[in-house]
Amino acid sequence: MQVTIETTGALERKMTVQLPVEDFQQEVQKRLQDTARRVRLPGFRPGRVPMKEVQRRFGAGVRQEVAGELMQRTVFQAMAQESLRPAGQPNLDWVSEHDDSQFAYAATFEVFPEITLSDLGDCTVEQPEADVTEGDIDTMIERLREQRKTFVESEGRAAEEGDEITVDFTGYLGEEAFEGGAAEDAKIVIGSGRMIPGFEEGLKGLKAGEEKRLAVTFPEDYGNEALKGQAAEFAITVKSVAQAELPALDEAFFTQFGVEDGELDSFRAEVRSNMERELRNAVRTRVKNQVMDALADKHEVALPHAMVHEEIHRMQHDMARQFGGQGMDPHQLPAELFRAQAERRVKLGLLMAHIVDTEALTADEARVEAMLEDIAAPYDEPEQVKSWYHGNEEQMNQLRNAAVEDQVIDWLLEKMAVTTVALSYEDAIAAAQQQGSAAAEEDTADDGAEG
């Protein structure tokens, strides 16, 4: 195998490989002979088709097939021989296709960039320091009760903040009812912010059986173009008013959270455990994001186009699954929408992989088990969860990869300046709570008064 390398770009290489032409020709002849024995052609007896006819009919295809297999089989051997690390699949070109005197092909590909880590001593990371207090537990318990509240209809009650009021309504622009502005038996919790500004406030004080004409103005950023900034009136008829009722702190409530002994102290201990786990994860995420930002900002890395393209492709598919399901073509999403984030991911992946390689980091099994403990803890049967993970090598490898990533973060933190910042539980956890909290815009065709 004769190999020559040409540098055609910052990371792009063109590798030309020459192989003994006799090996290629012998394989082609062997396959043509096998074809002659098996092929059935009109006018010829089985196994008696002249080689010249086999060559005429099948020669070009067999040559292409053998050449493709030979290139695929030897290209990575040639790269290893030249100590080249390809970043993506090579593009192969059979350059001697029309030259029977030799067998040669060209492989064009990108290599991984050379990486040198910069001094990270001037990078500062804020390490949040927070505890779960008894007051935090009280707040969380009230939040859990609020999530499980029920509404009890109260005859003669005037609607107040937090009540659920059931109404029929029709919206008008002038004297004309507008499309999508009517509903029957609509249940609205006053103060929930579900409706456009002024609507819920205008329901306060109403009782079952009462009617009201409510004047409101649609926001300028409303989703329906025809209603943006429009003054409207809603004719409202109240069907019922229901008062919120929080569940009692009793055995029935505690059992919903896996506390079987029915004791308040046990329930509070369970809530504390979950909050402390959430706090640890939130703090770790905040620190990790700062470290990753500093690492990315501190380094300029030549990025293989193939890796960026692959990451964009992955992100397109993720978004298509999230929003469009199987009926959405991921490639309809413009690549530029994802490019900046894809480039950042590839850069950080290359930097992290460099640290793993140079520092010879492997997964700390104690850390892996601690991560598994955290995953299993919220379940009713945590030991079963851990047993399932231990029996699933793919899942365990994912945990080991996450552990190595955490070990890289720890290694980087040792190179950076770390300052401790005292925070409350709520402030420390806020960033994690905000993830995924942005509400999707309501479909204005469903309800012309919803915000």
Side-chain angles (χ1 to χ4, degrees):
M1 183 186 301
Q2 297 180 8
V3 181
T4 58
I5 307 296
E6 180 183 354
T7 299
T8 54
L11 298 178
E12 189 178 79
R13 303 291 183 267
K14 182 178 181 181
M15 180 178 71
T16 302
V17 181
Q18 285 190 316
L19 299 172
V21 71
E22 295 80 13
D23 294 348
F24 169 69
Q25 292 172 342
Q26 288 173 8
E27 183 62 25
V28 170
Q29 287 304 309
K30 177 184 175 183
R31 295 201 187 183
L32 287 174
Q33 289 168 1
D34 289 343
T35 301
R37 285 193 294 269
R38 292 182 289 100
V39 73
R40 294 179 179 273
L41 295 177
F44 299 97
R45 286 183 297 167
R48 296 292 184 174
V49 181
M51 184 57 69
K52 185 176 181 180
E53 183 64 19
V54 174
Q55 172 73 40
R56 185 182 71 83
R57 287 176 177 257
F58 304 106
V62 169
R63 283 171 56 83
Q64 287 284 350
E65 180 182 281
V66 173
E69 292 176 5
L70 192 55
M71 290 187 288
Q72 290 288 347
R73 190 167 66 245
T74 60
V75 64
F76 291 105
Q77 296 175 9
M79 291 177 184
Q81 176 181 303
E82 302 300 316
S83 301
L84 294 171
R85 295 176 59 225
Q89 288 294 318
N91 181 37
L92 302 177
D93 179 24
W94 183 18
V95 296
S96 65
E97 181 176 1
H98 305 294
D99 182 359
D100 291 336
S101 67
Q102 62 172 334
F103 184 87
Y105 67 90
T108 304
F109 53 92
E110 292 175 295
V111 295
F112 285 96
E114 294 292 330
I115 293 177
T116 302
L117 287 182
S118 303
D119 181 8
L120 301 171
D122 60 347
C123 299
T124 302
V125 174
E126 290 186 348
Q127 172 82 46
E129 189 175 79
D131 294 311
V132 177
T133 68
E134 292 299 313
D136 293 326
I137 296 174
D138 292 338
T139 300
M140 180 60 69
I141 289 175
E142 287 308 302
R143 192 174 295 157
L144 294 173
R145 294 179 71 200
E146 181 72 20
Q147 291 171 356
R148 288 159 178 78
K149 68 185 176 185
T150 56
F151 289 94
V152 180
E153 188 173 332
S154 179
E155 188 175 350
R157 179 179 175 82
E160 299 177 4
E161 184 86 4
D163 287 352
E164 182 184 73
I165 183 169
T166 303
V167 298
D168 295 342
F169 63 78
T170 302
Y172 295 88
L173 294 178
E175 298 300 319
E176 296 291 329
F178 60 85
E179 185 178 357
E184 293 184 355
D185 294 325
K187 294 184 181 298
I188 301 167
V189 177
I190 297 177
S192 65
R194 172 190 168 194
M195 312 301 284
I196 61 174
F199 195 101
E200 293 171 22
E201 189 71 19
L203 300 177
K204 289 182 179 179
L206 294 179
K207 300 179 180 180
E210 293 185 341
E211 297 181 355
K212 182 176 182 178
R213 194 88 172 184
L214 177 62
V216 294
T217 302
F218 282 91
E220 293 293 342
D221 60 353
Y222 194 66
N224 187 332
E225 287 288 338
L227 298 177
K228 283 184 177 181
Q230 293 279 4
E233 284 193 349
F234 284 87
I236 296 170
T237 301
V238 181
K239 297 289 193 67
S240 66
V241 176
Q243 186 176 8
E245 188 173 279
L246 298 179
L249 291 176
D250 56 17
E251 184 176 355
F253 183 72
F254 301 152
T255 302
Q256 297 179 48
F257 299 91
V259 178
E260 300 299 338
D261 66 7
E263 296 295 328
L264 177 60
D265 287 346
S266 299
F267 176 63
R268 290 182 69 88
E270 178 69 15
V271 172
R272 174 183 286 279
S273 176
N274 290 332
M275 291 176 71
E276 288 176 343
R277 181 170 55 254
E278 186 179 14
L279 179 60
R280 286 196 305 273
N281 292 335
V283 168
R284 185 66 179 174
T285 297
R286 179 167 174 173
V287 170
K288 176 182 174 180
N289 288 341
Q290 292 178 75
V291 171
M292 298 291 258
D293 287 343
L295 184 64
D297 293 343
K298 197 73 174 178
H299 295 87
E300 290 296 330
V301 180
L303 304 179
H305 297 299
M307 294 183 71
V308 174
H309 176 77
E310 182 180 347
E311 187 61 34
I312 289 174
H313 184 72
R314 183 181 299 112
M315 294 171 69
Q316 286 173 320
H317 278 265
D318 287 346
M319 181 170 284
R321 282 194 296 269
Q322 182 179 355
F323 294 108
Q326 295 181 350
M328 184 177 186
D329 181 3
H331 300 101
Q332 291 179 339
L333 299 169
E336 292 306 312
L337 182 66
F338 307 96
R339 185 169 302 281
Q341 188 176 359
E343 289 177 346
R344 185 178 187 275
R345 288 185 181 181
V346 171
K347 177 198 275 192
L348 286 170
L350 291 169
L351 290 165
M352 299 279 279
H354 173 77
I355 295 169
V356 171
D357 289 342
T358 56
E359 298 301 314
L361 296 178
T362 58
D364 178 350
E365 289 301 323
R367 187 188 292 260
V368 172
E369 288 302 316
M371 295 171 70
L372 183 53
E373 287 283 348
D374 263 2
I375 292 171
Y379 291 89
D380 292 337
E381 301 290 343
E383 292 304 318
Q384 290 185 11
V385 175
K386 289 190 284 186
S387 178
W388 180 83
Y389 266 85
H390 283 301
N392 189 317
E393 191 62 23
E394 181 180 351
Q395 293 296 324
M396 289 303 297
N397 283 336
Q398 289 183 11
L399 276 182
R400 292 186 184 102
N401 290 338
V404 170
E405 184 176 282
D406 276 358
Q407 289 167 233
V408 173
I409 298 299
D410 289 344
W411 185 88
L412 288 166
L413 277 172
E414 293 177 358
K415 316 297 178 186
M416 300 178 178
V418 180
T419 60
T420 301
V421 179
L423 295 175
S424 67
Y425 167 83
E426 291 291 345
D427 288 341
I429 206 98
Q433 290 177 329
Q434 289 170 0
Q435 291 178 359
S437 65
E441 290 185 4
E442 295 288 341
D443 185 346
T444 56
D446 291 339
D447 191 339
E450 293 191 34

